[in-house]
Amino acid sequence: MVKWHLTGYRRWISSPTGSVLLLVLLALVGDYSSRGVFAASPLPDQSDVLYHAASVSSIAATRDVDSTYFLPNTTVPTHYSISLRTDIHNDVRTFSAITRIYLTVLAPTDLIVMHVQELNIASVALYRIASTGGNEIWIDSPTYMIDIVREHVTFRTAGMLPLGNYALEVAYTGSMRNYQSGYLVSRYRNEANEWRSVGTTHFQATLARRVFPCYDEPALKATFDLKITHHRAYTAIANMPLAGTEIDPNNREYLVSRFERTPLMSTYLLAFAVTDFKTLRNGQHEIVVRSNAQDDAMYALTVGSTILERLGSYLELSYYDYMPKMTSIAVPDRGTGAMENWGLVTYGEPSLLYNPAVNTYRNRKRVTTVIAHEYAHQWFGDLVSPRSWDFIWLSEGFATLYEYLATRLAEPGDEYWELFSVEVVQRAFLQDANEQIRPINWQAATQAEVSSLFDIIAYQKAGSVLNMFRNVLGESEWRQGLTQYLTDRGYDAATEENLALHLQRAVEGKDILPPTANVRDLLASWTDAPGFPVLNVYRLYRDGMMILSQERFLEQSVLPTGHVWHIPFNYAYESSATFYDLTTAGWLSSRAAKLETPVPDDEWVVFNKQQTGYYRVNYDRRNWDLLAQALMANRNAIHRANRAQLIDDAFNLARADLLDMAVVLRLMRYLRAERDYAPWYAADKVLTYLYDKVRATEHEHAFLVYVDELIEEVYSTLSVDTVGQGESTLYKYLRQLITGWACRIGYKDCLERSRAALRKEFLPGQGESSVAVHPDVRAVVYCYGLQQDSAEEFQLIFQRLMASRNQAERTDLIDALGCARNADSITSLLATIVFSAAPDTTFVYLSEERNRVFQAIYSGGRAPTLALMNVLSDPVSVQQLLAIVGEGTITNAVMNIAQRTNGAEEMARLEMMLTAMNGILPPGTLNNARDTAAARPQWFTTAEGLIVGEFLEQYNLP
């Protein structure tokens, strides 16, 4: 699963038809609302929530769990037969169903316990199934009791049930929600601009129980038969192919769709959808999509088929040996996540649809990697499921690794594998450096505990650790072990022990691991302990001798710990720059050890080649100086992945007071000659962090001069506003990063080109044709093109937003609008949020887009942020917005404004806003914002702040 940016102030009045607000709005949309382009947008339910990307669970190092949340082991399921009726075509948000659960009694009992959530049970019947066959025998109508906290339903029979096979039939009704929970509703506008409702499912992790009573734990696998009764204008799809369709004998306007029986699988993987969508086919690979987005699905249809085939070849287990078809469905207005249901993968539209005419290279990358992630799950998670949610990393960690690695198998020219270290490993480091972080293996019992496991530890950290072992064991042995693991545990569940067993067998007798080592112990040192180590390399500069030591790395320090990681290491040095040989040179399996090496004392050394190991590396000061000198002399002497590693490690070591920040800033001076993206990605984090600290202070000018020194040469090789033939993916990433900084620090050429390109598209000169800005340069051109007097262009971009049916494009347009410097434009944009909730409105926002508007504004620079603060300083305006977006969105905006406040003038302006919000937001929220802003100047009194200030003094040019 893939979890799922001052010319005056007009006071808003409480009535949405107030003349002042209308004047502000008309400045934005002109007579656009009278064009009759849009149908009315339904007001979202208050239960709508915003789903964020995978975050981190910050919890204590150990904990006990409440085992009463687990089902007793007296009965187990063998098969489910589900018959469900839905009227989603009429936007009816309830359903009725009859589910028959076939089960085996393992110990005499009068209680059958399973899971249920918010189902209204109408009747229950229990049948005995004779071991010799024959008809089922009714034996009881059990009573039942529901524990709403544990979400258990306990059926009590009249007498003790002996060992044997039974069938429990339950009739019930249930409800649909507007978010990722059970059987859910989504809405979209069709070609006739009519709102249509469709139904899809999302059962991970503990939500199958919202649709049918079940044993909702991943190891309790069963087979499934499914029948869905629906209106004949709609079609139903599920994990398995359609077995047949009959007319409903009770209503000829309805059809009954029957599906083939599934293989053994976990309840959370069952899926179905009832829609009026179209199906595109490429052999056994299908894409289901709304009819007015079929062209946008063609890329996924092709690339998805290739990824599925290449993964099967890589693992020597064809997907179609286990499942007869693969269907992917694009669900409207469901965010950007995806869910790996076996044979029926569901996606938010931006994660499956890609149109090169309007979508960017980043959208293409997202679609490709999300498909790869979900298709990797077809083996890791679906064919072999985690024994319990404690081992969810066996599903999500593998999927994270192969969402990048599978693209190298299927589309190597896209270079997405080059992004693994910076997007996965380095991202995991940031979260895993928390003292309260959990280990990879972590127990969970309650629904909240289970949900919290879907975090950066299960995804990015686990994926990084698995990749480390892939390199340690060798690609051939790794693949051999995985194939045997999947074959042995197929249609079943697994633990870390099962994985380690088959990897160990693959390396036996091959001299890959130390004689006394085994995969289980090596792997456990990374999965059973929280955090990760820093490998300290202290060179003695005496015949190549070095002392290696390890400590747990934390974001602000190191932490003494009794735990020892088994750290695989390798290294390259100046006269032996073997960065492509990733063979393990040795293991540090103690707190410290002395190492003999052939490294000459006057040459640099780099440990952890291509950053395949999940650890940071620190060096003595002399080696850091040698590395800085080497990069200045010839950056290509060190592999690009290690150049990124050096910057990222140095910066975070400095943040933890383990290295002088001046070392980082001197090291980065070589970037003026850097042309690869990964090192710039790492540097961008450093520059963004420092700019946030020094903006609007006495050090800002010197910092901008420093940035200018770094980017000037690189910028001269790039084009702000055009895209050339044959540009690589990484070149596009680099261009957006560098041109974004160039415009941000005021490069005249960058700003003028952005402004001119924006005008050529929206306001071409007389007799000139419109020239569309290429999607791959749109982010910079639109954002910085709007930072001058551009009210007309702003209005036209907004109109494009309202007209677009492509969710990814809409997000990009919202981000661009948030950059506008014109205060009236920002005020008008916020006014459209209020008007979007009115009946028969022409301002249509998807469920998450109102929140995105706020994010775009406070991320768009100081001018739009000031305009937002003006609006939030008016109690009437705040109350109107609160009623629509909720307190969470307003609180996030306030805290983000506080986190961006620098200097006395900005602090005074913040205080005015917070004072105006008294009685609207809780006092604790307002005081937190004050404390956050008040603490920011204290950075300049820290050693880090003083060192940065001293370093920047040399850039204070007259």
Side-chain angles (χ1 to χ4, degrees):
M1 180 173 70
V2 176
K3 305 275 206 228
W4 342 50
H5 318 9
L6 215 52
T7 58
Y9 165 60
R10 313 276 176 91
R11 178 180 175 84
W12 293 15
I13 60 177
S14 58
S15 169
T17 58
S19 58
V20 175
L21 185 54
L22 278 175
L23 285 173
V24 177
L25 261 173
L26 287 173
L28 169 62
V29 300
D31 65 345
Y32 192 58
S33 61
S34 66
R35 299 180 188 178
V37 177
F38 309 114
S41 171
L43 199 64
D45 293 346
Q46 291 184 354
S47 57
D48 278 359
V49 296
L50 177 64
Y51 280 82
H52 299 283
S55 59
V56 67
S57 302
S58 181
I59 37 188
T62 60
R63 68 172 172 186
D64 296 323
V65 296
D66 185 349
S67 61
T68 63
Y69 278 83
F70 301 130
L71 296 176
N73 57 7
T74 52
T75 66
V76 293
T78 58
H79 178 70
Y80 297 87
S81 180
I82 304 169
S83 179
L84 181 142
R85 184 183 186 92
T86 178
D87 295 301
I88 189 60
H89 69 288
N90 277 335
D91 196 37
V92 175
R93 304 190 180 196
T94 58
F95 63 90
S96 60
I98 299 175
T99 293
R100 180 169 285 210
I101 305 104
Y102 293 82
L103 56 96
T104 299
V105 173
L106 301 178
T109 182
D110 62 346
L111 304 177
I112 300 172
V113 185
M114 57 186 73
H115 289 106
V116 72
Q117 183 192 122
E118 296 183 15
L119 297 179
N120 301 308
I121 296 175
S123 65
V124 184
L126 181 66
Y127 300 84
R128 178 67 188 262
I129 301 174
S131 59
T132 57
N135 295 329
E136 300 172 353
I137 303 172
W138 178 90
I139 57 174
D140 196 6
S141 293
T143 60
Y144 65 90
M145 181 177 64
I146 295 176
D147 181 339
I148 61 174
V149 174
R150 291 169 179 80
E151 298 180 352
H152 287 182
V153 56
T154 301
F155 299 98
R156 182 181 294 274
T157 61
M160 296 293 288
L161 298 176
L163 277 61
N165 299 319
Y166 300 83
L168 184 73
E169 184 175 276
V170 186
Y172 56 93
T173 59
S175 61
M176 302 175 69
R177 291 181 176 176
N178 263 17
Y179 53 93
Q180 305 286 55
S181 181
Y183 182 36
L184 56 108
V185 63
S186 299
R187 306 199 76 193
Y188 79 98
R189 291 174 290 150
N190 64 13
E191 294 91 334
N193 212 40
E194 301 166 330
W195 284 98
R196 306 290 288 174
S197 296
V198 298
T200 58
T201 57
H202 182 98
F203 291 165
Q204 195 180 50
T206 59
L207 298 168
R209 64 193 69 172
R210 278 194 57 81
V211 176
F212 59 103
C214 58
Y215 295 78
D216 207 6
E217 295 177 1
L220 298 176
K221 296 194 172 191
T223 55
F224 295 82
D225 286 335
L226 178 64
K227 290 195 301 185
I228 299 177
T229 302
H230 55 88
H231 193 269
R232 64 191 309 146
Y234 275 43
T235 57
I237 58 175
N239 305 80
M240 300 297 286
L242 189 67
T245 304
E246 295 87 30
I247 296 174
D248 179 13
N250 299 314
N251 188 333
R252 296 186 61 83
E253 292 299 308
Y254 284 71
L255 300 175
V256 180
S257 295
R258 268 186 309 108
F259 298 92
E260 296 178 12
R261 181 167 294 186
T262 72
L264 282 169
M265 66 183 196
S266 305
T267 50
Y268 77 90
L269 296 172
L270 183 69
F272 59 87
V274 181
T275 72
D276 58 351
F277 289 177
K278 300 296 183 182
T279 300
L280 308 176
R281 291 184 174 87
N282 181 0
Q284 296 159 280
H285 185 251
E286 304 173 342
I287 303 291
V288 177
V289 64
R290 53 186 167 86
S291 59
N292 52 358
Q294 294 181 74
D295 291 344
D296 296 1
M298 295 308 296
Y299 173 73
L301 184 64
T302 301
V303 77
S305 179
T306 302
I307 289 172
L308 198 63
E309 185 273 327
R310 298 291 169 80
L311 273 171
S313 297
Y314 175 89
L315 295 167
E316 299 182 8
L317 296 168
S318 171
Y319 168 82
Y320 296 110
D321 289 345
Y322 299 91
M323 293 292 283
K325 58 92 179 176
M326 166 57 78
T327 303
S328 289
I329 181 171
V331 185
D333 199 12
R334 286 266 65 86
T336 59
M339 177 60 206
E340 66 267 18
N341 316 297
W342 208 4
L344 176 56
V345 181
T346 55
Y347 301 79
E349 285 190 344
S351 294
L352 191 64
L353 304 184
Y354 169 74
N355 183 340
V358 298
N359 295 135
T360 73
Y361 68 97
R362 290 176 180 261
N363 300 138
R364 186 178 189 272
K365 183 259 184 183
R366 177 168 186 83
V367 168
T368 308
T369 55
V370 172
I371 291 174
H373 182 107
E374 304 308 325
Y375 284 6
H377 271 308
Q378 305 304 301
W379 290 267
F380 301 101
D382 296 2
L383 178 61
V384 179
S385 303
R387 174 68 63 187
S388 66
W389 294 117
D390 310 5
F391 300 106
I392 186 58
W393 66 272
L394 288 174
S395 176
E396 297 301 347
F398 274 110
T400 300
L401 172 59
Y402 283 99
E403 78 175 75
Y404 290 84
L405 199 53
T407 65
R408 190 172 72 173
L409 302 173
E411 298 287 335
D414 284 335
E415 306 176 304
Y416 299 145
W417 176 247
E418 293 277 331
L419 301 173
F420 183 82
S421 287
V422 294
E423 291 188 350
V424 177
V425 179
Q426 292 178 16
R427 182 182 176 196
F429 282 159
L430 292 178
Q431 300 294 339
D432 204 20
N434 187 308
E435 185 173 357
Q436 299 302 314
I437 204 69
R438 71 173 182 91
I440 291 179
N441 288 325
W442 192 243
Q443 287 185 299
T446 71
Q447 297 88 335
E449 288 170 352
V450 170
S451 179
S452 72
L453 294 180
F454 290 80
D455 60 6
I456 281 177
I457 301 304
Y459 287 73
Q460 283 79 12
K461 178 179 181 178
S464 302
V465 170
L466 288 170
N467 185 56
M468 176 171 65
F469 276 85
R470 182 180 72 89
N471 282 281
V472 167
L473 302 182
E475 184 69 25
S476 176
E477 288 73 20
W478 172 258
R479 290 173 60 182
Q480 178 185 338
L482 292 188
T483 300
Q484 291 305 311
Y485 163 74
L486 293 168
T487 302
D488 178 58
R489 305 308 301 171
Y491 302 117
D492 205 340
T495 67
E496 179 183 346
E497 294 275 359
N498 301 126
L499 174 64
L501 171 66
H502 290 288
L503 292 177
Q504 181 66 37
R505 288 176 177 174
V507 300
E508 287 287 0
K510 296 184 179 180
D511 196 29
I512 292 175
L513 300 178
T516 60
N518 62 78
V519 173
R520 176 65 189 96
D521 291 342
L522 297 175
L523 184 58
S525 78
W526 298 90
T527 59
D528 289 345
F532 65 96
V534 52
L535 177 67
N536 298 303
V537 179
Y538 182 78
R539 300 178 63 183
L540 300 179
Y541 299 98
R542 186 178 69 245
D543 301 324
M545 296 297 294
M546 304 180 190
I547 296 175
L548 305 184
S549 65
Q550 61 169 283
E551 300 169 285
R552 181 179 173 185
F553 180 84
L554 294 178
E555 54 194 346
Q556 296 296 330
S557 62
V558 296
L559 182 69
T561 176
H563 180 73
V564 174
W565 286 269
H566 295 292
I567 303 177
F569 64 83
N570 51 30
Y571 56 89
Y573 52 97
E574 185 174 347
S575 56
S576 184
T578 55
F579 285 99
Y580 290 94
D581 179 3
L582 301 180
T583 306
T584 301
W587 293 79
L588 180 63
S589 295
S590 59
R591 297 297 302 276
K594 186 176 288 188
L595 178 67
E596 296 183 15
T597 77
V599 181
D601 293 342
D602 59 349
E603 293 186 8
W604 52 262
V605 67
V606 171
F607 274 68
N608 196 9
K609 290 188 281 189
Q610 295 192 41
Q611 202 174 32
T612 56
Y614 186 69
Y615 52 89
R616 295 200 183 279
V617 184
N618 197 3
Y619 303 97
D620 57 89
R621 180 61 175 269
R622 181 174 169 185
N623 195 68
W624 278 114
D625 290 342
L626 289 170
L627 288 168
Q629 294 166 18
L631 291 172
M632 289 294 290
N634 177 16
R635 71 183 189 281
N636 289 320
I638 298 174
H639 192 277
R640 57 189 176 276
N642 287 103
R643 301 200 297 270
Q645 174 205 20
L646 289 171
I647 295 171
D648 188 66
D649 279 354
F651 173 59
N652 285 280
L653 289 164
R655 294 280 295 117
D657 292 329
L658 300 177
L659 189 66
D660 190 329
M661 187 65 79
V663 173
V664 185
L665 298 174
R666 283 195 295 270
L667 183 75
M668 288 171 52
R669 280 176 164 168
Y670 95 92
L671 286 167
R672 67 187 73 176
E674 181 62 82
R675 301 295 186 270
D676 281 302
Y677 174 67
W680 272 109
Y681 179 97
D684 180 61
K685 290 184 288 184
V686 182
L687 297 177
T688 300
Y689 170 82
L690 293 177
Y691 193 33
D692 174 69
K693 299 295 186 185
V694 304
R695 186 194 57 79
T697 73
E698 60 180 310
H699 300 292
E700 180 178 14
H701 173 74
F703 175 79
L704 298 183
V705 174
Y706 174 68
V707 176
D708 172 55
E709 177 188 277
L710 300 185
I711 71 170
E712 182 181 16
E713 292 182 25
V714 189
Y715 176 80
S716 67
T717 68
L718 306 170
S719 174
V720 177
D721 53 351
T722 60
V723 175
Q725 289 289 333
E727 291 182 353
S728 71
T729 300
L730 295 181
Y731 176 87
K732 294 176 181 182
Y733 274 97
L734 178 66
R735 173 179 50 213
Q736 183 169 334
L737 189 156
I738 297 299
T739 58
W741 272 106
C743 281
R744 188 183 309 174
I745 69 173
Y747 270 32
K748 184 178 180 180
D749 177 77
C750 185
L751 295 171
E752 289 181 348
R753 286 179 177 272
S754 297
R755 176 68 174 146
L758 186 67
R759 293 192 66 86
K760 285 180 181 178
E761 176 171 7
F762 291 100
L763 295 171
Q766 187 173 2
E768 296 179 352
S769 299
S770 173
V771 180
V773 175
H774 194 287
D776 289 346
V777 295
R778 187 173 58 204
V780 171
V781 167
Y782 277 20
C783 181
Y784 291 98
L786 283 173
Q787 293 200 0
Q788 299 183 42
D789 185 13
S790 51
E792 290 181 89
E793 292 93 328
F794 183 94
Q795 174 183 336
L796 293 168
I797 292 175
F798 179 82
Q799 292 176 10
R800 177 177 292 180
L801 165 66
M802 291 292 102
S804 176
R805 307 285 176 89
N806 184 293
Q807 188 176 337
E809 180 193 27
R810 291 175 63 90
T811 299
D812 292 342
L813 295 175
I814 289 172
D815 289 347
L817 293 170
C819 295
R821 288 179 176 268
N822 185 292
D824 280 348
S825 294
I826 295 297
T827 303
S828 300
L829 182 61
L830 292 165
T832 65
I833 293 177
V834 176
F835 275 65
S836 71
D840 301 321
T841 183
T842 57
F843 302 113
V844 177
Y845 285 108
L846 302 179
S847 59
E848 297 180 6
E849 289 180 345
R850 298 176 181 89
N851 304 283
R852 185 75 183 204
V853 169
F854 282 87
Q855 180 183 341
I857 293 171
Y858 62 65
S859 300
R862 189 61 190 170
T865 298
L866 282 171
L868 173 59
M869 294 174 73
N870 285 340
V871 172
L872 295 180
S873 297
D874 175 50
V876 174
S877 300
V878 176
Q879 295 284 11
Q880 289 178 323
L881 290 166
L882 267 173
I884 298 165
V885 301
E887 184 177 306
T889 296
I890 302 300
T891 297
N892 284 339
V894 169
M895 293 306 300
N896 273 278
I897 291 169
Q899 291 164 6
R900 290 164 167 80
T901 297
N902 282 350
E905 181 180 345
E906 292 184 7
M907 187 67 190
R909 183 65 191 83
L910 175 70
E911 182 57 39
M912 289 175 57
M913 183 190 79
L914 296 177
T915 300
M917 300 181 81
N918 281 332
I920 300 175
L921 291 184
T925 298
L926 301 178
N927 289 331
N928 284 342
R930 289 186 177 95
D931 293 343
T932 296
R936 288 177 59 79
Q938 297 174 17
W939 179 78
F940 291 99
T941 67
T942 66
E944 178 181 289
L946 292 170
I947 290 170
V948 170
E950 182 65 24
F951 178 85
L952 291 176
E953 280 297 319
Q954 62 190 296
Y955 292 93
N956 268 326
L957 304 177

